[in-house]
Amino acid sequence: MFEDRSQKKQRTEISSLGEFGLIRELTKNLSIKNNKNILGSGDDAAIANYSDEQTLVSTEIFTEKVHFDLSYTPLKHLGYKLVVAGVSDIYAMNGTPSQVLIGLGLSNRFSLEAVQELYEGIEAACTHYQIDLTGGDITSSAVGLVISITALGHAKEEDIVRRNGAQENDLILTTGDLGAAYLGLLLLEREKKVFEANPEMQPELNKFDYLLKRQLKPDIHFVLLNELREKGVKPTSMIDISDGLASDIMHITHASKKGCRIYEEKIPIDAESIQLSEEFNLNPVTVALNGGEDYELLFTVKAIDYEKIKTITGIQVIGHITSEGSGDHLVTTDERLIELSAPGWIKAYENNNGEEHK
């Protein structure tokens, strides 16, 4: 992940800089990376030119102690994750992200150095996805750290993919693996409680580096979209998995007025996820369905396109779309049908101990 800079001693009070001085410090080294952006920060508004393409816009808000816990989330990782959360919505429309704008609400416990660390993560993600940080706003906050991110992107009208395009018999696919981010969160929460009970206890985190990375510094498999384009395949619907597989597939089926069947044995789950699920006495499939924050891409394609995509690594067919009114179901390995519900909970699905788990 990122270099540990927790030993940094210097502290510059934001009050000594003022709002505009802080903005100058945070933006003085920014440069334009994306040729769609004409002017970044430094004026009343940024300038972008998308010519004959349509503009895609998405906004996310993150509040301390609701969406993140700074006792175990490094600010640099938080900045990176914010950008991922913003641009994943643009990729989920089959678009290309080009810029982000950041709004910050800061309490007086944050120093210039702390905010610079947050921005180092933001800039690292912008570099990775070849997008620009083109502005935003900063204000004071009485409730800790509040962050908003607005992501902008572009796509030709004929290339845009919405949630409502799934058709009966379409295949359902996902990138990557599912449930790891949520398990990384459970691990961090567990070790936090252990530390609070006994500060001399060292956290046991070294066995699950992958799960921690998926929680603290996730990434999006956006390159796979390019592979689909190269093979002449356009998804019929798409969404990013931020709320959990069950909830997000239902966003697609409800918008498309269809049903679905997801097959338990097809859901991609990493070995570390299986191991930690067992430690927490959880069913890994339940975690994959309900966890959220995976930021994988969930999409549907026409069944006829399977031959074109079957050799692409990093994607997995996990089910298919069914007719309107047929319902949304998980098909278990013993061929039971389990109804999915909107929050991502699984009705009557039994975990390894034979108890219902939510």
Side-chain angles (χ1 to χ4, degrees):
M1 289 187 277
F2 290 123
E3 176 187 1
D4 182 8
R5 302 182 63 182
S6 59
Q7 302 303 313
K8 200 171 186 178
K9 299 292 185 182
Q10 183 179 357
R11 178 182 174 91
T12 303
E13 298 297 335
I14 290 176
S15 58
S16 69
L17 299 170
E19 177 185 352
F20 299 118
L22 175 59
I23 292 172
R24 283 193 294 270
E25 284 292 327
L26 296 176
T27 60
K28 62 184 180 182
N29 295 320
L30 295 181
S31 60
I32 297 295
K33 294 181 283 293
N34 192 296
N35 60 14
K36 296 290 184 180
N37 298 320
I38 308 303
L39 177 65
S41 61
D43 214 309
D44 291 304
I47 303 174
N49 180 11
Y50 298 125
S51 59
D52 60 343
E53 295 183 307
Q54 297 199 347
T55 303
L56 306 173
V57 184
S58 176
T59 298
E60 304 273 353
I61 297 179
F62 296 83
T63 304
E64 185 178 355
K65 297 182 180 179
V66 176
H67 301 101
F68 57 89
D69 187 334
L70 291 179
S71 68
Y72 54 70
T73 305
L75 285 165
K76 190 171 183 180
H77 289 77
L78 177 60
Y80 193 99
K81 186 174 181 178
L82 292 171
V83 175
V84 169
V87 302
S88 67
D89 288 327
I90 305 300
Y91 284 122
M93 300 288 289
N94 204 32
T96 301
S98 59
Q99 60 179 297
V100 293
L101 297 95
I102 302 293
L104 288 182
L106 297 167
S107 69
N108 58 12
R109 85 174 198 269
F110 291 94
S111 64
L112 168 63
E113 290 75 23
V115 183
Q116 285 176 325
E117 185 178 344
L118 177 73
Y119 268 67
E120 285 175 10
I122 292 171
E123 291 172 29
C126 286
T127 298
H128 179 70
Y129 293 103
Q130 284 298 290
I131 59 178
D132 294 309
L133 173 59
T134 57
D137 194 17
I138 297 176
T139 188
S140 60
S141 168
V143 294
L145 179 60
V146 180
I147 313 172
S148 72
I149 178 168
T150 299
L152 291 92
H154 54 93
K156 293 181 179 179
E157 182 177 4
E158 62 269 23
D159 292 335
I160 292 175
V161 176
R162 303 182 183 184
R163 298 178 182 180
N164 64 357
Q167 299 297 317
E168 187 175 353
N169 297 321
D170 281 357
L171 302 177
I172 302 170
L173 301 96
T174 183
T175 62
D177 58 84
L178 306 178
Y182 177 68
L183 286 163
L185 177 62
L186 291 185
L187 178 61
L188 290 165
E189 288 284 354
R190 182 185 73 181
E191 296 306 310
K192 176 186 176 180
K193 291 178 181 177
V194 171
F195 177 78
E196 289 174 341
N198 183 359
E200 295 183 1
M201 292 288 291
Q202 294 298 311
E204 297 182 7
L205 302 173
N206 57 340
K207 294 190 300 182
F208 300 106
D209 289 346
Y210 177 70
L211 303 185
L212 293 174
K213 181 178 184 296
R214 289 297 301 275
Q215 169 55 217
L216 296 175
K217 187 177 174 285
D219 268 314
I220 307 162
H221 290 90
F222 67 94
V223 175
L224 295 173
L225 294 177
N226 296 331
E227 293 190 53
L228 291 176
R229 295 186 190 108
E230 289 170 2
K231 293 181 180 295
V233 176
K234 178 185 174 182
T236 54
S237 66
M238 186 155 50
I239 191 171
D240 66 319
I241 301 179
S242 55
D243 297 325
L245 173 59
S247 289
D248 288 320
I249 188 58
M250 292 184 70
H251 287 315
I252 286 178
T253 57
H254 288 183
S256 301
K257 298 182 180 179
K258 296 291 185 289
C260 72
R261 288 194 176 187
I262 301 292
Y263 292 84
E264 177 183 12
E265 62 190 16
K266 298 293 186 181
I267 297 175
I269 302 173
D270 184 77
E272 279 190 21
S273 296
I274 295 173
Q275 182 181 348
L276 190 59
S277 292
E278 292 174 352
E279 287 192 21
F280 279 109
N281 198 29
L282 298 173
N283 188 300
V285 175
T286 303
V287 174
L289 285 163
N290 300 334
E293 288 198 309
D294 290 307
Y295 298 111
E296 298 292 352
L297 296 171
L298 178 68
F299 59 100
T300 58
V301 301
K302 297 176 182 178
I304 197 173
D305 285 331
Y306 175 72
E307 291 299 318
K308 298 179 183 179
I309 65 172
K310 66 180 182 180
T311 59
I312 299 178
T313 59
I315 60 175
Q316 173 70 37
V317 178
I318 61 171
H320 64 273
I321 298 296
T322 56
S323 62
E324 181 177 3
S326 60
D328 305 298
H329 295 95
L330 172 74
V331 182
T332 66
T333 53
D334 58 359
E335 298 186 351
R336 287 182 296 145
L337 286 184
I338 306 298
E339 184 180 358
L340 303 177
S341 59
W345 309 127
I346 307 172
K347 297 180 181 178
Y349 191 81
E350 294 181 343
N351 67 13
N352 292 331
N353 283 339
E355 299 172 351
E356 184 176 349
H357 177 72
K358 292 185 176 182

